[in-house]
Amino acid sequence: MTNPHKGRTGLNRILHAFGYSMQGLAAAWRGESAFRQEAVLALLMLPCAFLLGRDWVQVAVLAGTVVLVLIVELLNSAVEATVDRISFDLHDLSKKAKDLGSAAVFLSLVLCALTWLAALIDRMSH
């Protein structure tokens, strides 16, 4: 069976995909306070990556960990929306899905914090 929503090709597909991505970012901004907080921090931290990083690799790693937090938060929000779409009833599998998403966000935050701490210690020690 062919998906009727998958008929676009070429530039038309790219333009629509971009629009859907912008709609997703807008939905996350409007509906997810955690995403808003992390996005504001990202706007502050990304320029700092260029100040703290010693070379392009360090800048890329610092910026990458910040962007990774946003990506994982978006995926977590998608999992939560999907679970809520299915049912608001309490269920062990729903809880497990949401807890796993939350754990992924937590680990991305830990990775980001430890990476930035290591870069700061490296910068201060020289």
Side-chain angles (χ1 to χ4, degrees):
M1 175 183 274
T2 303
N3 185 334
H5 304 290
K6 297 287 184 177
R8 294 187 177 91
T9 60
L11 185 59
N12 189 28
R13 185 196 66 76
I14 293 169
L15 291 173
H16 277 86
F18 177 78
Y20 299 142
S21 297
M22 294 303 103
Q23 289 174 21
L25 289 171
W29 182 263
R30 284 190 312 271
E32 300 293 331
S33 61
F35 180 80
R36 279 194 305 275
Q37 292 166 349
E38 291 157 354
V40 168
L41 278 174
L43 290 174
L44 298 172
M45 292 175 75
L46 288 173
C48 292
F50 290 91
L51 300 173
L52 183 57
R54 292 188 175 275
D55 56 27
W56 75 267
V57 174
Q58 282 190 358
V59 171
V61 169
L62 291 168
T65 61
V66 172
V67 174
L68 180 66
V69 170
L70 296 176
I71 292 167
V72 175
E73 186 64 57
L74 288 168
L75 293 171
N76 180 49
S77 296
V79 167
E80 290 179 351
T82 302
V83 168
D84 290 345
R85 164 65 171 90
I86 294 167
S87 174
F88 286 119
D89 294 342
L90 297 178
H91 190 280
D92 289 342
L93 289 175
S94 298
K95 180 182 180 343
K96 182 178 180 179
K98 288 185 173 190
D99 289 351
L100 289 169
S102 179
V105 172
F106 173 75
L107 290 178
S108 72
L109 288 166
V110 169
L111 174 65
C112 184
L114 291 177
T115 301
W116 278 75
L117 181 62
L120 188 60
I121 290 170
D122 178 59
R123 181 63 110 160
M124 300 289 251
S125 69
H126 288 97

